[in-house]
Amino acid sequence: TTLLYTIKFEMDTPPYNSTYKSTLGEVPYNSTLGEVLYNSTLGEFTYNLTLGEFHYNSTLGEVPYNSTLGEVPESTSRIFLLVYLSLVCMSTLLGDSIILVASLKYQALQLHKTLVVLIQYIAVNDILVVIFTGLPGIAALAADRWVVGHGMCGASLFVYASSAAFVSELISALALAKLLIVKYPLRAINFSEGSGHVIAVVLWVYSCVFPTIAIGKDPTGVYYTPNLYNCDYLWKKPPWTNTTINAYSGSIGCSLILFTSVTVLSSILLIIAARSVSRRMPGGLQWQGVLVVLLTAALHLIVSVPTGVYYLALLTNILSPDGLDLLYRCAWFTSLLGAMSNFYIFTLTLSSFRRFLRSGIRVVRVSVSSGFSSDHTTRSERRSLLNQNTAN
Protein backbone atom coordinates (compact mmCIF):
# COMPACT_ATOMS: atom_id res chain seq x y z
CA THR A 1 0.00 0.00 0.00
CA THR A 2 1.30 3.43 -0.94
CA LEU A 3 0.90 5.98 1.85
CA LEU A 4 1.22 9.75 1.54
CA TYR A 5 1.52 11.88 4.68
CA THR A 6 0.91 15.63 4.72
CA ILE A 7 0.65 17.99 7.67
CA LYS A 8 -1.24 21.25 7.83
CA PHE A 9 -0.54 23.64 10.72
CA GLU A 10 -2.40 26.88 11.32
CA MET A 11 -0.86 28.58 14.32
CA ASP A 12 1.30 31.51 15.34
CA THR A 13 3.87 29.51 17.29
CA PRO A 14 6.35 26.99 15.85
CA PRO A 15 4.96 23.43 15.89
CA TYR A 16 6.40 20.71 18.09
CA ASN A 17 6.67 17.76 15.77
CA SER A 18 6.40 14.15 16.88
CA THR A 19 5.73 10.76 15.39
CA TYR A 20 2.66 8.57 15.63
CA LYS A 21 3.33 4.91 14.87
CA SER A 22 0.68 2.55 13.61
CA THR A 23 0.61 -0.74 11.78
CA LEU A 24 0.45 1.19 8.49
CA GLY A 25 3.42 3.45 9.05
CA GLU A 26 4.49 6.60 10.83
CA VAL A 27 2.58 9.88 10.85
CA PRO A 28 4.32 13.08 12.03
CA TYR A 29 2.00 15.34 13.96
CA ASN A 30 1.79 18.06 16.56
CA SER A 31 0.97 16.82 20.06
CA THR A 32 -1.05 19.83 21.23
CA LEU A 33 -1.86 22.07 18.25
CA GLY A 34 -2.65 21.74 14.59
CA GLU A 35 -4.29 19.26 12.30
CA VAL A 36 -3.03 16.00 10.86
CA LEU A 37 -4.07 14.93 7.36
CA TYR A 38 -3.47 11.25 6.68
CA ASN A 39 -3.90 10.09 3.05
CA SER A 40 -3.89 6.53 1.79
CA THR A 41 -5.24 4.73 -1.24
CA LEU A 42 -8.30 3.84 0.83
CA GLY A 43 -9.35 7.36 1.60
CA GLU A 44 -8.57 10.35 3.75
CA PHE A 45 -8.20 10.42 7.52
CA THR A 46 -8.39 13.78 9.33
CA TYR A 47 -7.83 14.15 13.07
CA ASN A 48 -7.72 17.42 14.95
CA LEU A 49 -6.01 16.91 18.33
CA THR A 50 -7.15 20.23 19.79
CA LEU A 51 -10.83 19.94 18.97
CA GLY A 52 -11.02 16.16 19.16
CA GLU A 53 -12.54 15.84 15.68
CA PHE A 54 -12.29 12.53 13.89
CA HIS A 55 -13.52 11.97 10.31
CA TYR A 56 -12.85 9.33 7.71
CA ASN A 57 -13.46 9.98 4.02
CA SER A 58 -13.94 7.11 1.63
CA THR A 59 -15.55 6.53 -1.73
CA LEU A 60 -18.85 6.12 0.11
CA GLY A 61 -18.76 9.65 1.37
CA GLU A 62 -17.73 11.43 4.58
CA VAL A 63 -18.86 9.70 7.76
CA PRO A 64 -18.01 10.34 11.44
CA TYR A 65 -16.25 7.32 12.88
CA ASN A 66 -15.17 6.45 16.43
CA SER A 67 -12.04 4.30 16.35
CA THR A 68 -12.41 3.05 19.92
CA LEU A 69 -16.11 2.22 19.98
CA GLY A 70 -16.65 0.96 16.44
CA GLU A 71 -20.20 1.54 15.27
CA VAL A 72 -21.47 3.02 18.54
CA PRO A 73 -22.41 6.68 17.93
CA GLU A 74 -20.06 9.06 19.73
CA SER A 75 -22.95 11.06 21.21
CA THR A 76 -24.33 7.93 22.92
CA SER A 77 -21.01 7.03 24.50
CA ARG A 78 -20.46 10.63 25.61
CA ILE A 79 -23.83 10.77 27.36
CA PHE A 80 -23.12 7.50 29.17
CA LEU A 81 -19.63 8.59 30.23
CA LEU A 82 -20.92 12.02 31.25
CA VAL A 83 -23.53 10.51 33.57
CA TYR A 84 -21.05 7.95 34.91
CA LEU A 85 -18.29 10.47 35.61
CA SER A 86 -20.73 12.94 37.18
CA LEU A 87 -22.01 10.30 39.60
CA VAL A 88 -18.49 9.20 40.51
CA CYS A 89 -17.31 12.77 41.13
CA MET A 90 -20.37 13.77 43.16
CA SER A 91 -20.20 10.61 45.28
CA THR A 92 -16.45 11.00 45.84
CA LEU A 93 -16.63 14.67 46.86
CA LEU A 94 -19.51 14.09 49.25
CA GLY A 95 -18.27 10.81 50.72
CA ASP A 96 -14.64 11.80 51.24
CA SER A 97 -15.64 15.18 52.68
CA ILE A 98 -17.81 13.40 55.26
CA ILE A 99 -14.91 11.07 56.08
CA LEU A 100 -12.58 14.02 56.68
CA VAL A 101 -15.11 15.81 58.88
CA ALA A 102 -15.87 12.61 60.80
CA SER A 103 -12.20 11.85 61.47
CA LEU A 104 -10.77 15.33 62.00
CA LYS A 105 -13.54 17.01 63.99
CA TYR A 106 -15.52 14.19 65.60
CA GLN A 107 -13.04 11.29 65.81
CA ALA A 108 -15.74 8.98 64.46
CA LEU A 109 -13.31 6.48 62.94
CA GLN A 110 -12.46 4.23 65.88
CA LEU A 111 -9.24 2.87 64.46
CA HIS A 112 -5.60 3.14 65.35
CA LYS A 113 -4.36 6.73 65.02
CA THR A 114 -1.82 5.86 62.33
CA LEU A 115 -4.48 4.15 60.22
CA VAL A 116 -6.80 7.14 60.56
CA VAL A 117 -4.08 9.49 59.28
CA LEU A 118 -3.42 7.28 56.24
CA ILE A 119 -7.16 7.13 55.53
CA GLN A 120 -7.35 10.93 55.69
CA TYR A 121 -4.59 11.21 53.08
CA ILE A 122 -6.44 8.75 50.85
CA ALA A 123 -9.57 10.91 51.12
CA VAL A 124 -7.67 14.10 50.29
CA ASN A 125 -6.00 12.35 47.36
CA ASP A 126 -9.38 11.24 45.98
CA ILE A 127 -10.78 14.78 46.26
CA LEU A 128 -7.80 16.19 44.33
CA VAL A 129 -8.33 13.64 41.56
CA VAL A 130 -11.95 14.74 41.23
CA ILE A 131 -11.08 18.46 41.19
CA PHE A 132 -8.19 18.28 38.72
CA THR A 133 -9.23 15.31 36.58
CA GLY A 134 -12.90 14.45 37.08
CA LEU A 135 -14.43 17.92 36.80
CA PRO A 136 -12.38 18.94 33.70
CA GLY A 137 -13.34 15.58 32.20
CA ILE A 138 -17.03 16.35 32.77
CA ALA A 139 -16.58 19.72 31.03
CA ALA A 140 -14.80 18.03 28.11
CA LEU A 141 -17.55 15.43 27.79
CA ALA A 142 -20.24 18.13 27.82
CA ALA A 143 -18.46 20.34 25.25
CA ASP A 144 -16.87 17.48 23.27
CA ARG A 145 -13.52 19.24 23.53
CA TRP A 146 -11.01 20.43 26.12
CA VAL A 147 -12.25 23.75 27.48
CA VAL A 148 -10.09 24.61 30.51
CA GLY A 149 -6.80 25.44 28.83
CA HIS A 150 -3.48 23.73 28.16
CA GLY A 151 -2.10 24.66 31.59
CA MET A 152 -4.93 22.81 33.28
CA CYS A 153 -4.28 19.91 30.91
CA GLY A 154 -0.77 19.53 32.33
CA ALA A 155 -2.02 19.93 35.90
CA SER A 156 -4.73 17.32 35.32
CA LEU A 157 -2.23 14.80 33.97
CA PHE A 158 0.24 15.45 36.79
CA VAL A 159 -2.37 15.06 39.53
CA TYR A 160 -3.87 11.93 38.00
CA ALA A 161 -0.49 10.22 37.45
CA SER A 162 0.90 11.10 40.88
CA SER A 163 -2.39 10.32 42.67
CA ALA A 164 -2.70 6.90 41.03
CA ALA A 165 0.73 5.98 42.38
CA PHE A 166 0.12 7.70 45.74
CA VAL A 167 -3.11 5.83 46.52
CA SER A 168 -1.47 2.51 45.65
CA GLU A 169 1.38 3.29 48.02
CA LEU A 170 -0.96 4.48 50.79
CA ILE A 171 -3.02 1.30 50.63
CA SER A 172 0.18 -0.76 50.84
CA ALA A 173 1.19 1.24 53.91
CA LEU A 174 -2.32 0.83 55.36
CA ALA A 175 -2.25 -2.97 54.99
CA LEU A 176 1.30 -3.25 56.35
CA ALA A 177 0.57 -0.96 59.31
CA LYS A 178 -2.55 -2.90 60.24
CA LEU A 179 -0.61 -6.17 60.06
CA LEU A 180 2.02 -4.81 62.46
CA ILE A 181 -0.66 -3.49 64.84
CA VAL A 182 -2.41 -6.85 65.03
CA LYS A 183 0.78 -8.91 65.20
CA TYR A 184 2.70 -6.68 67.61
CA PRO A 185 0.10 -4.80 69.67
CA LEU A 186 2.49 -3.69 72.42
CA ARG A 187 4.99 -2.21 69.99
CA ALA A 188 2.15 -0.49 68.18
CA ILE A 189 1.77 1.81 71.20
CA ASN A 190 4.66 3.80 69.74
CA PHE A 191 2.82 4.33 66.45
CA SER A 192 1.46 7.87 66.44
CA GLU A 193 -0.28 10.35 64.19
CA GLY A 194 3.14 11.84 63.45
CA SER A 195 4.32 8.49 62.13
CA GLY A 196 1.37 8.40 59.73
CA HIS A 197 2.09 11.92 58.48
CA VAL A 198 5.77 11.14 57.88
CA ILE A 199 4.93 7.95 55.96
CA ALA A 200 2.33 9.74 53.82
CA VAL A 201 4.57 12.71 52.98
CA VAL A 202 7.48 10.45 51.97
CA LEU A 203 5.19 8.38 49.75
CA TRP A 204 3.68 11.51 48.21
CA VAL A 205 7.10 12.90 47.30
CA TYR A 206 8.04 9.55 45.75
CA SER A 207 4.79 9.40 43.74
CA CYS A 208 5.49 12.84 42.25
CA VAL A 209 8.94 11.86 40.94
CA PHE A 210 7.85 10.07 37.76
CA PRO A 211 5.32 12.61 36.40
CA THR A 212 7.68 15.46 37.31
CA ILE A 213 10.48 13.86 35.27
CA ALA A 214 8.24 13.18 32.28
CA ILE A 215 6.53 16.58 32.11
CA GLY A 216 9.74 18.42 33.00
CA LYS A 217 11.69 16.64 30.26
CA ASP A 218 9.11 17.38 27.56
CA PRO A 219 6.15 19.61 28.50
CA THR A 220 4.90 19.48 24.89
CA GLY A 221 4.20 15.77 25.34
CA VAL A 222 1.05 16.63 27.29
CA TYR A 223 -1.98 16.53 25.01
CA TYR A 224 -5.75 16.14 25.13
CA THR A 225 -7.13 12.84 23.87
CA PRO A 226 -10.83 12.42 23.07
CA ASN A 227 -10.45 8.71 23.83
CA LEU A 228 -10.33 9.62 27.54
CA TYR A 229 -11.86 13.10 27.32
CA ASN A 230 -8.85 14.06 29.37
CA CYS A 231 -5.12 14.58 29.02
CA ASP A 232 -2.42 12.02 28.38
CA TYR A 233 1.31 11.96 27.65
CA LEU A 234 3.09 11.25 24.37
CA TRP A 235 6.64 9.85 24.27
CA LYS A 236 8.29 11.89 21.54
CA LYS A 237 11.68 11.37 19.93
CA PRO A 238 13.57 13.55 20.67
CA PRO A 239 13.96 14.30 23.58
CA TRP A 240 13.09 10.72 24.57
CA THR A 241 15.02 7.76 23.24
CA ASN A 242 14.22 4.06 23.33
CA THR A 243 16.67 3.62 26.19
CA THR A 244 15.19 6.40 28.35
CA ILE A 245 11.63 5.29 27.60
CA ASN A 246 12.41 1.70 28.57
CA ALA A 247 14.24 2.80 31.72
CA TYR A 248 11.38 5.11 32.74
CA SER A 249 8.65 2.59 32.00
CA GLY A 250 10.60 -0.19 33.69
CA SER A 251 11.02 1.89 36.85
CA ILE A 252 7.29 2.63 37.01
CA GLY A 253 6.45 -1.03 36.40
CA CYS A 254 8.82 -2.25 39.12
CA SER A 255 7.41 0.32 41.56
CA LEU A 256 3.82 -0.73 40.91
CA ILE A 257 4.69 -4.42 41.17
CA LEU A 258 6.50 -3.79 44.46
CA PHE A 259 3.63 -1.92 46.14
CA THR A 260 1.02 -4.31 44.76
CA SER A 261 3.01 -7.24 46.15
CA VAL A 262 3.26 -5.55 49.55
CA THR A 263 -0.53 -5.00 49.55
CA VAL A 264 -1.34 -8.59 48.62
CA LEU A 265 1.20 -10.17 50.97
CA SER A 266 0.29 -7.91 53.90
CA SER A 267 -3.41 -8.63 53.39
CA ILE A 268 -2.85 -12.39 53.41
CA LEU A 269 -0.64 -12.23 56.49
CA LEU A 270 -3.17 -9.92 58.17
CA ILE A 271 -5.93 -12.51 57.74
CA ILE A 272 -3.68 -15.21 59.21
CA ALA A 273 -2.57 -13.02 62.13
CA ALA A 274 -6.12 -11.87 62.92
CA ARG A 275 -7.44 -15.44 62.97
CA SER A 276 -4.56 -16.46 65.22
CA VAL A 277 -5.26 -13.64 67.69
CA SER A 278 -8.99 -14.36 67.73
CA ARG A 279 -8.32 -18.04 68.52
CA ARG A 280 -5.85 -17.26 71.30
CA MET A 281 -7.98 -14.52 72.85
CA PRO A 282 -11.67 -14.98 72.02
CA GLY A 283 -13.23 -11.54 71.96
CA GLY A 284 -9.81 -9.87 72.19
CA LEU A 285 -9.80 -8.64 68.60
CA GLN A 286 -12.48 -6.62 66.89
CA TRP A 287 -12.65 -7.38 63.20
CA GLN A 288 -13.91 -3.96 62.14
CA GLY A 289 -10.48 -2.46 61.58
CA VAL A 290 -9.28 -5.61 59.82
CA LEU A 291 -12.28 -5.59 57.48
CA VAL A 292 -11.78 -1.91 56.64
CA VAL A 293 -8.21 -2.55 55.52
CA LEU A 294 -8.97 -5.80 53.69
CA LEU A 295 -11.93 -4.37 51.77
CA THR A 296 -10.02 -1.22 50.86
CA ALA A 297 -7.09 -3.26 49.57
CA ALA A 298 -9.32 -5.76 47.74
CA LEU A 299 -11.32 -3.09 45.93
CA HIS A 300 -8.17 -1.23 44.92
CA LEU A 301 -6.75 -4.42 43.42
CA ILE A 302 -10.02 -5.15 41.59
CA VAL A 303 -10.28 -1.73 39.93
CA SER A 304 -6.60 -2.03 38.94
CA VAL A 305 -7.20 -5.25 36.99
CA PRO A 306 -8.24 -3.52 33.69
CA THR A 307 -5.07 -1.42 33.82
CA GLY A 308 -2.94 -4.52 34.32
CA VAL A 309 -4.73 -6.29 31.46
CA TYR A 310 -4.15 -3.28 29.21
CA TYR A 311 -0.39 -3.23 29.78
CA LEU A 312 -0.24 -7.00 29.35
CA ALA A 313 -2.08 -6.70 26.03
CA LEU A 314 0.22 -3.85 25.03
CA LEU A 315 3.32 -5.97 25.67
CA THR A 316 2.00 -9.09 23.94
CA ASN A 317 0.30 -7.37 20.95
CA ILE A 318 -2.74 -9.64 21.25
CA LEU A 319 -5.25 -6.86 20.54
CA SER A 320 -5.81 -4.59 17.58
CA PRO A 321 -5.17 -0.83 17.96
CA ASP A 322 -8.92 -0.24 18.30
CA GLY A 323 -9.12 -2.95 20.95
CA LEU A 324 -6.26 -1.37 22.88
CA ASP A 325 -7.92 2.04 22.71
CA LEU A 326 -11.17 0.62 24.06
CA LEU A 327 -9.38 -1.29 26.83
CA TYR A 328 -7.38 1.82 27.76
CA ARG A 329 -10.58 3.85 28.02
CA CYS A 330 -12.21 1.18 30.20
CA ALA A 331 -9.13 0.96 32.44
CA TRP A 332 -8.96 4.75 32.86
CA PHE A 333 -12.61 5.23 33.77
CA THR A 334 -12.72 2.10 35.96
CA SER A 335 -9.77 3.36 38.01
CA LEU A 336 -11.93 6.26 39.22
CA LEU A 337 -14.29 3.86 41.00
CA GLY A 338 -11.75 3.38 43.79
CA ALA A 339 -12.07 7.06 44.72
CA MET A 340 -15.75 6.74 45.66
CA SER A 341 -15.47 3.47 47.60
CA ASN A 342 -14.14 4.65 50.97
CA PHE A 343 -17.43 6.05 52.22
CA TYR A 344 -19.32 2.84 51.48
CA ILE A 345 -16.61 0.64 53.01
CA PHE A 346 -16.66 2.59 56.28
CA THR A 347 -20.45 2.62 56.35
CA LEU A 348 -20.47 -1.15 55.89
CA THR A 349 -17.77 -2.08 58.40
CA LEU A 350 -17.42 0.62 61.10
CA SER A 351 -20.22 0.84 63.65
CA SER A 352 -18.79 4.13 64.98
CA PHE A 353 -19.05 5.68 61.50
CA ARG A 354 -22.64 4.43 61.12
CA ARG A 355 -23.54 5.99 64.48
CA PHE A 356 -21.96 9.20 63.27
CA LEU A 357 -24.16 9.19 60.16
CA ARG A 358 -27.34 8.25 62.03
CA SER A 359 -26.77 10.98 64.59
CA GLY A 360 -27.03 13.68 61.92
CA ILE A 361 -23.29 14.43 62.01
CA ARG A 362 -23.28 14.51 65.80
CA VAL A 363 -21.07 11.84 67.26
CA VAL A 364 -19.56 10.98 70.61
CA ARG A 365 -15.84 11.49 70.76
CA VAL A 366 -13.83 8.51 71.93
CA SER A 367 -10.36 9.17 73.25
CA VAL A 368 -7.98 6.24 73.67
CA SER A 369 -4.61 7.51 74.80
CA SER A 370 -2.78 4.27 73.99
CA GLY A 371 -3.57 4.69 70.32
CA PHE A 372 -5.21 1.29 70.05
CA SER A 373 -8.77 2.62 69.71
CA SER A 374 -11.08 -0.34 69.13
CA ASP A 375 -8.61 -2.43 67.15
CA HIS A 376 -7.13 -4.27 70.11
CA THR A 377 -9.02 -4.12 73.39
CA THR A 378 -10.21 -6.44 76.08
CA ARG A 379 -13.91 -7.03 76.79
CA SER A 380 -13.87 -4.77 79.83
CA GLU A 381 -12.18 -1.99 77.85
CA ARG A 382 -14.71 -2.28 75.08
CA ARG A 383 -17.56 -2.21 77.60
CA SER A 384 -16.06 0.93 79.11
CA LEU A 385 -15.80 2.57 75.67
CA LEU A 386 -19.39 1.59 74.88
CA ASN A 387 -20.59 3.11 78.16
CA GLN A 388 -18.64 6.26 77.37
CA ASN A 389 -20.21 6.48 73.90
CA THR A 390 -23.71 6.02 75.35
CA ALA A 391 -23.16 8.62 78.07
CA ASN A 392 -21.85 11.22 75.61
Side-chain angles (χ1 to χ4, degrees):
T1 303
T2 302
L3 303 177
L4 301 175
Y5 305 106
T6 61
I7 311 175
K8 178 184 177 183
F9 293 103
E10 296 179 356
M11 64 187 76
D12 297 329
T13 57
Y16 299 96
N17 294 325
S18 57
T19 301
Y20 172 79
K21 293 184 178 180
S22 69
T23 54
L24 297 178
E26 296 183 354
V27 182
Y29 72 104
N30 181 279
S31 63
T32 56
L33 299 171
E35 185 176 88
V36 177
L37 186 63
Y38 169 81
N39 297 319
S40 72
T41 56
L42 299 177
E44 186 177 87
F45 169 92
T46 304
Y47 181 46
N48 188 298
L49 289 167
T50 306
L51 299 179
E53 295 177 352
F54 185 111
H55 287 82
Y56 180 79
N57 300 326
S58 68
T59 56
L60 298 177
E62 182 175 354
V63 292
Y65 178 75
N66 186 333
S67 64
T68 59
L69 296 178
E71 296 179 355
V72 178
E74 181 64 18
S75 59
T76 303
S77 66
R78 281 202 305 116
I79 293 173
F80 171 78
L81 292 175
L82 179 61
V83 173
Y84 165 82
L85 191 57
S86 298
L87 291 175
V88 169
C89 290
M90 182 173 60
S91 179
T92 301
L93 286 175
L94 181 61
D96 284 315
S97 298
I98 292 175
I99 289 172
L100 289 175
V101 171
S103 60
L104 291 172
K105 186 175 181 180
Y106 297 102
Q107 288 79 50
L109 302 184
Q110 293 183 17
L111 298 169
H112 192 284
K113 293 179 179 180
T114 303
L115 301 183
V116 173
V117 170
L118 295 177
I119 289 171
Q120 290 168 350
Y121 276 95
I122 293 176
V124 172
N125 180 78
D126 293 341
I127 291 175
L128 290 177
V129 170
V130 168
I131 293 174
F132 285 91
T133 301
L135 297 182
I138 292 174
L141 280 164
D144 199 16
R145 62 187 179 89
W146 190 254
V147 296
V148 291
H150 186 65
M152 188 62 181
C153 189
S156 174
L157 176 65
F158 178 85
V159 171
Y160 178 80
S162 60
S163 296
F166 187 40
V167 73
S168 178
E169 296 159 8
L170 283 175
I171 292 175
S172 298
L174 191 70
L176 182 58
K178 182 59 182 176
L179 171 63
L180 296 176
I181 291 169
V182 171
K183 198 170 182 63
Y184 307 106
L186 295 180
R187 297 182 183 180
I189 296 176
N190 298 322
F191 296 173
S192 63
E193 293 182 356
S195 302
H197 287 296
V198 171
I199 293 171
V201 170
V202 170
L203 293 178
W204 177 78
V205 171
Y206 177 74
S207 67
C208 291
V209 169
F210 292 112
T212 300
I213 292 175
I215 298 176
K217 188 177 183 66
D218 183 19
T220 64
V222 179
Y223 72 102
Y224 167 72
T225 169
N227 184 37
L228 305 178
Y229 292 96
N230 224 293
C231 296
D232 208 342
Y233 189 81
L234 177 71
W235 308 96
K236 297 191 300 182
K237 303 175 185 179
W240 293 94
T241 63
N242 289 332
T243 302
T244 55
I245 291 175
N246 292 335
Y248 185 91
S249 303
S251 300
I252 295 177
C254 291
S255 177
L256 293 177
I257 291 173
L258 172 62
F259 285 105
T260 301
S261 300
V262 170
T263 301
V264 173
L265 184 59
S266 297
S267 299
I268 294 174
L269 294 177
L270 175 59
I271 295 174
I272 296 173
R275 288 174 61 87
S276 176
V277 171
S278 64
R279 283 197 300 266
R280 289 199 317 267
M281 298 183 299
L285 174 71
Q286 286 196 355
W287 282 85
Q288 292 186 25
V290 175
L291 289 176
V292 166
V293 174
L294 292 179
L295 288 177
T296 302
L299 189 61
H300 171 72
L301 294 174
I302 290 173
V303 299
S304 300
V305 168
T307 303
V309 173
Y310 167 76
Y311 284 107
L312 181 63
L314 193 64
L315 292 174
T316 56
N317 293 320
I318 61 176
L319 291 178
S320 65
D322 286 352
L324 283 174
D325 285 344
L326 179 58
L327 184 57
Y328 187 42
R329 172 183 278 195
C330 292
W332 193 89
F333 280 97
T334 302
S335 67
L336 299 177
L337 285 174
M340 61 178 286
S341 63
N342 295 333
F343 175 81
Y344 303 101
I345 290 176
F346 296 151
T347 303
L348 179 65
T349 57
L350 283 179
S351 59
S352 60
F353 190 68
R354 289 196 298 271
R355 289 196 300 271
F356 169 77
L357 296 176
R358 286 196 300 264
S359 66
I361 320 301
R362 296 190 309 273
V363 75
V364 180
R365 304 186 183 219
V366 178
S367 177
V368 183
S369 59
S370 64
F372 284 107
S373 188
S374 59
D375 284 340
H376 238 299
T377 58
T378 64
R379 289 182 178 180
S380 60
E381 288 172 333
R382 291 201 307 275
R383 188 179 299 110
S384 175
L385 289 175
L386 180 59
N387 293 334
Q388 184 180 354
N389 286 341
T390 305
N392 290 336

